[in-house]
Amino acid sequence: MKSPKAESPTNLHASLVQSLGLAIAEGRFPANSVLRLDELEAQHNVSRSVVREAARVLSSKGLLESRRRFGTVVQPEKSWNLYDPEVIRWRLASSRRLEQLQSLNELRGAVEPQAARLAAERASWDAGSELVALAARLWAAGQRGDQEEFLLLDVEFHAAVLNASGNAMFAQLQNLVTEVLTGRTQHGLMPHLPHHEALQLHVDVASAIQRGESAAAHAAMSRIVEQSSEEMSQIWSSSHDGGDTPPAASGKAGT
């Protein structure tokens, strides 16, 4: 009988990064507390090199800092790279996920409507037509109640608008938007069936971009983000008033 394969150093390191990142985001290791590498080595049954590599990765994301005479110190949240996709995921997995989602939605509200405005001014007719076709597929997935397909198309739609803006810095924020859209679904803040208004707003954004109507594109995208924030708050309140179970999947929400 074959003995089980030992987990590779790469997998051990990735697992430890995830474990420590989640613990720091949750506050189990408060800011300015010192992590003892020898204790982590014993607790997680890994080598010192694995612990050091995990600490190096977390330091590169701003969660830890190595200080002479002190050791490895947990950093306050203001020092973290809050745009890092893993940091976003860890914060979304914490008990403060609604606060994180609201913060990210506020950023979306500052960026995505302006991206839609610029896309209406700069995107080609073909790019606008592709957005209209994508909005139609998004509508169909929402009407079918195909949540997995809907999420994939929603991510693709918002990334396409950011790219169509012609602003490379806006385009690089698509990973952040992806984490928001994915995170709210994974954490029960996105009911199964999208609201009709949300589906129509995506069509309105695409149509306005295709027609070159910048003010209409800005207004429709602003409403998408506002509606998303309002409904996430409502779902959170409902689930916590009635216990830990999210509302039934037959509810409706924006995107």
Side-chain angles (χ1 to χ4, degrees):
M1 177 174 152
K2 292 183 180 179
S3 58
K5 291 183 179 179
E7 197 168 0
S8 72
T10 301
N11 290 339
L12 288 170
H13 147 256
S15 178
L16 185 58
V17 167
Q18 290 297 313
S19 178
L20 294 177
L22 285 166
I24 292 170
E26 184 59 60
R28 294 199 296 272
F29 294 118
N32 300 313
S33 60
V34 177
L35 295 186
R36 293 182 56 86
L37 301 189
D38 55 341
E39 291 180 357
L40 292 175
E41 183 180 347
Q43 288 169 3
H44 294 273
N45 194 27
V46 294
S47 67
R48 179 59 61 92
S49 63
V50 168
V51 173
R52 284 177 175 161
E53 178 61 16
R56 184 194 66 76
V57 171
L58 292 170
S59 294
S60 73
K61 299 176 186 293
L63 278 69
L64 298 176
E65 183 180 76
S66 180
R67 298 180 189 170
R68 289 186 64 183
R69 297 192 300 273
F70 283 94
T72 303
V73 182
V74 177
Q75 296 302 287
E77 191 175 58
K78 65 182 181 181
S79 299
W80 303 354
N81 179 2
L82 300 179
Y83 292 91
D84 183 285
E86 282 193 304
V87 175
I88 292 172
R89 265 175 249 140
W90 296 332
R91 295 179 76 206
L92 286 175
S94 76
S95 58
R96 296 171 56 201
R97 74 174 56 101
L98 183 63
E99 178 185 333
Q100 162 74 337
L101 281 167
Q102 287 176 329
S103 176
L104 289 167
N105 242 39
E106 287 170 3
L107 180 60
R108 286 183 67 196
V111 172
E112 289 199 82
Q114 181 63 11
R117 181 195 297 277
L118 292 174
E121 296 171 357
R122 299 172 177 174
S124 66
W125 177 264
D126 286 344
S129 297
E130 288 175 7
L131 272 171
V132 170
L134 188 53
R137 291 168 60 202
L138 186 68
W139 180 293
Q143 293 289 80
R144 289 196 309 271
D146 187 340
Q147 193 171 44
E148 183 176 353
E149 178 71 6
F150 181 86
L151 175 60
L152 291 173
L153 292 171
D154 200 21
V155 165
E156 186 179 350
F157 180 90
H158 287 274
V161 172
L162 290 169
N163 283 322
S165 73
N167 184 310
M169 296 184 76
F170 280 5
Q172 287 200 8
L173 291 175
Q174 61 185 271
N175 287 337
L176 181 149
V177 174
T178 296
E179 294 300 333
V180 177
L181 299 177
T182 303
R184 67 183 187 176
T185 299
Q186 290 178 340
H187 296 292
L189 295 172
M190 176 66 183
H192 188 60
L193 293 177
H195 194 281
H196 179 275
E197 181 189 359
L199 297 174
Q200 182 60 52
L201 284 168
H202 283 72
V203 173
D204 292 346
V205 168
S207 299
I209 289 173
Q210 185 187 50
R211 294 193 302 266
E213 298 174 356
S214 56
H218 184 282
M221 185 63 84
S222 292
R223 181 56 192 146
I224 286 173
V225 178
E226 288 168 4
Q227 186 184 60
S228 176
S229 184
E230 290 166 3
E231 292 176 342
M232 282 190 295
S233 295
Q234 290 169 5
I235 294 168
W236 179 271
S237 297
S238 176
S239 66
H240 282 68
D241 287 345
D244 294 331
T245 304
S250 59
K252 297 185 178 182
T255 66

